[in-house]
Amino acid sequence: MQRIIYLLVISVITATVAFSYSEHEEILPIQPEAKQTKLFREIVTELASTHYATLEINNDLSEDYLNNYIDRLDSSKRFFMASDIKEFQQWQHKLDDLAKRGDLKPGFTMFNRLRDRVIDQLNRNITLL
């Protein structure tokens, strides 16, 4: 019964997306904006220096942050491929340094990859329907 409900929900979502986008409409990747970079740098600085529970911005935090972000983006492990996760591991011990500089590119790269994988899956579902 749950499987039937799940398939019905997926069908409705797929149909909605199919009617929302024309086949020729390209969905562009999102990119960080300058104000986001500045704000991110400020937040990291505050967390490291003046917040009551100061955080040590280091490789351990970087590794935890990467794993948590991947899990939050694809908690069901349905969209990211092993090759994606392997690619994302390049940032395992670099996110702390990038955060101090306000570099948001890794997060946007992972989000855009997830969005691409979801769109690909929706297109396969549309084809099957």
Side-chain angles (χ1 to χ4, degrees):
M1 184 65 168
Q2 286 181 335
R3 185 178 170 101
I4 293 171
I5 293 171
Y6 174 77
L7 290 173
L8 286 172
V9 169
I10 292 297
S11 297
V12 169
I13 292 170
T14 301
T16 303
V17 171
F19 291 119
S20 298
Y21 299 104
S22 71
E23 290 182 25
H24 304 289
E25 185 175 346
E26 183 180 357
I27 300 173
L28 299 174
I30 60 171
Q31 298 294 326
E33 298 174 12
K35 63 183 176 185
Q36 292 169 323
T37 298
K38 181 182 176 199
L39 179 61
F40 187 52
R41 195 172 43 244
E42 289 173 10
I43 290 170
V44 169
T45 301
E46 290 295 315
L47 287 174
S49 61
T50 61
H51 192 267
Y52 75 93
T54 58
L55 287 177
E56 190 173 339
I57 311 297
N58 58 22
N59 287 346
D60 292 336
L61 179 69
S62 180
E63 187 174 339
D64 289 343
Y65 186 80
L66 177 67
N67 293 331
N68 286 326
Y69 188 64
I70 291 170
D71 189 53
R72 288 185 185 268
L73 285 177
D74 188 16
S75 60
S76 63
K77 298 182 181 3
R78 297 186 56 205
F79 299 106
F80 285 139
M81 298 179 181
S83 59
D84 296 329
I85 302 300
K86 185 176 180 180
E87 177 186 343
F88 301 157
Q89 292 302 318
Q90 70 177 313
W91 298 305
Q92 184 173 5
H93 296 122
K94 295 179 183 176
L95 288 178
D96 56 323
D97 300 322
L98 295 171
K100 291 173 187 174
R101 292 193 313 245
D103 190 340
L104 295 165
K105 290 178 188 170
F108 279 81
T109 298
M110 289 183 269
F111 177 83
N112 286 323
R113 180 73 50 82
L114 174 71
R115 190 187 63 187
D116 292 343
R117 298 282 186 236
V118 169
I119 290 169
D120 290 344
Q121 182 62 50
L122 287 172
N123 286 331
R124 284 193 295 274
N125 290 348
I126 290 168
T127 301
L128 287 174
L129 289 174

